[in-house]
Amino acid sequence: MKAGVLIRLPWLAALALMTAPVAAATIEVTIDKLVFSPATVEAKVGDTIEWVNKDVVAHTATVRGGWEVMIPPKKSASLTLKAAGAVDYFCRFHPNMRGQMNVAP
Ligand SMILES: [Cu+2]
């Protein structure tokens, strides 16, 4: 019967790893000279995106038909991701400023 236990234990350990909750992360996106950096981020539901605006003008992170986050000059603003999917966003004041996030479930 000992052999049975030895075989089962690694399987239980693997199951524990798969079901353990993954800690939510904060992902920083810097805005400098009208550029989101990194332009594309990989995230998951529950993560927080924090935009850090180094410019002296206000920016937004805006999703067409969706949410908008205002990022005042020399300030930061954040958003916790609640839905999975690929999201394209832009700055309402400077439509050439574009970013993307790929949000895993
Ligand atoms: Cu802007």
Side-chain angles (χ1 to χ4, degrees):
M1 288 306 111
K2 248 185 185 161
V5 171
L6 284 175
I7 290 164
R8 231 166 261 170
L9 278 177
W11 182 82
L12 283 174
L15 186 71
L17 281 176
M18 285 191 302
T19 56
V22 182
T26 297
I27 299 164
E28 195 175 295
V29 176
T30 300
I31 305 170
D32 194 10
K33 299 182 182 71
L34 286 78
V35 174
F36 291 112
S37 179
T40 301
V41 297
E42 304 293 330
K44 58 189 182 307
V45 171
D47 285 353
T48 296
I49 306 291
E50 182 177 29
W51 289 273
V52 178
N53 186 359
K54 296 187 182 301
D55 288 340
V56 295
V57 295
H59 297 294
T60 71
T62 303
V63 174
R64 206 174 295 281
W67 45 261
E68 177 171 270
V69 175
M70 175 72 68
I71 312 127
K74 300 290 183 187
K75 293 253 174 8
S76 62
S78 60
L79 174 79
T80 299
L81 302 170
K82 295 198 167 25
V87 177
D88 291 306
Y89 66 91
F90 62 99
C91 173
R92 184 151 55 88
F93 307 130
H94 314 98
N96 286 336
M97 289 176 64
R98 295 184 170 278
Q100 186 187 44
M101 48 184 82
N102 296 316
V103 185

